[in-house]
Amino acid sequence: GSFTEGKLTVGDYSLDLRIRELSFDDKKIELTQVEFLIIKAFFENREKALSRDDIMTLVWGKDYHDDIKVVDVNIRRLRLKVEKDAAAPEHIVTVWGYGYKWKE
């Protein structure tokens, strides 16, 4: 992974921080604000498992105290957008009993 000119690049994925856009092999993937922040958290913490609490804090802030399931709901949506098969994710993998991790 690398960081150049406001872009975080991991494998074939590139996240443009200025225009908040994810692309895969130069194909654009539409993201919501929350999805963008989750991907950004993954790309900034490559190969590191993030707990649901970590994701909650990085995306919604430490004062947000809503249902932790909001993380799982958004991960599910993201998988539909970035995985070949959302039911068998290759990139956004579950770390059982903990959270999630981005794999290149």
Side-chain angles (χ1 to χ4, degrees):
S2 66
F3 181 81
T4 47
E5 293 176 44
K7 282 190 181 170
L8 288 170
T9 305
V10 179
D12 294 326
Y13 289 87
S14 179
L15 187 67
D16 190 316
L17 302 177
R18 288 165 305 187
I19 57 172
R20 296 177 170 249
E21 196 169 72
L22 181 68
S23 49
F24 171 72
D25 273 347
D26 293 327
K27 287 192 295 286
K28 291 178 186 6
I29 300 168
E30 290 291 318
L31 297 178
T32 66
Q33 169 71 4
V34 164
E35 291 164 348
F36 166 79
L37 291 170
I38 292 173
I39 290 284
K40 182 173 179 269
F42 281 134
F43 284 15
E44 288 174 340
N45 295 278
R46 268 188 294 285
E47 293 300 314
K48 179 176 177 249
L50 297 175
S51 71
R52 284 175 177 82
D53 285 332
D54 291 338
I55 294 169
M56 198 86 145
T57 300
L58 289 164
V59 173
W60 288 274
K62 65 182 184 321
D63 297 325
Y64 185 83
H65 298 293
D66 204 1
D67 195 337
I68 199 95
K69 284 196 215 55
V70 71
V71 173
D72 300 327
V73 169
N74 280 282
I75 291 288
R76 249 195 316 279
R77 285 194 201 127
L78 261 176
R79 281 177 170 161
L80 291 169
K81 293 182 179 186
V82 304
E83 301 286 0
K84 281 189 206 100
D85 178 1
E90 294 170 30
H91 296 297
I92 302 172
V93 296
T94 301
V95 179
W96 292 111
Y98 188 70
Y100 300 96
K101 172 177 163 172
W102 180 276
K103 282 183 76 169
E104 285 187 50

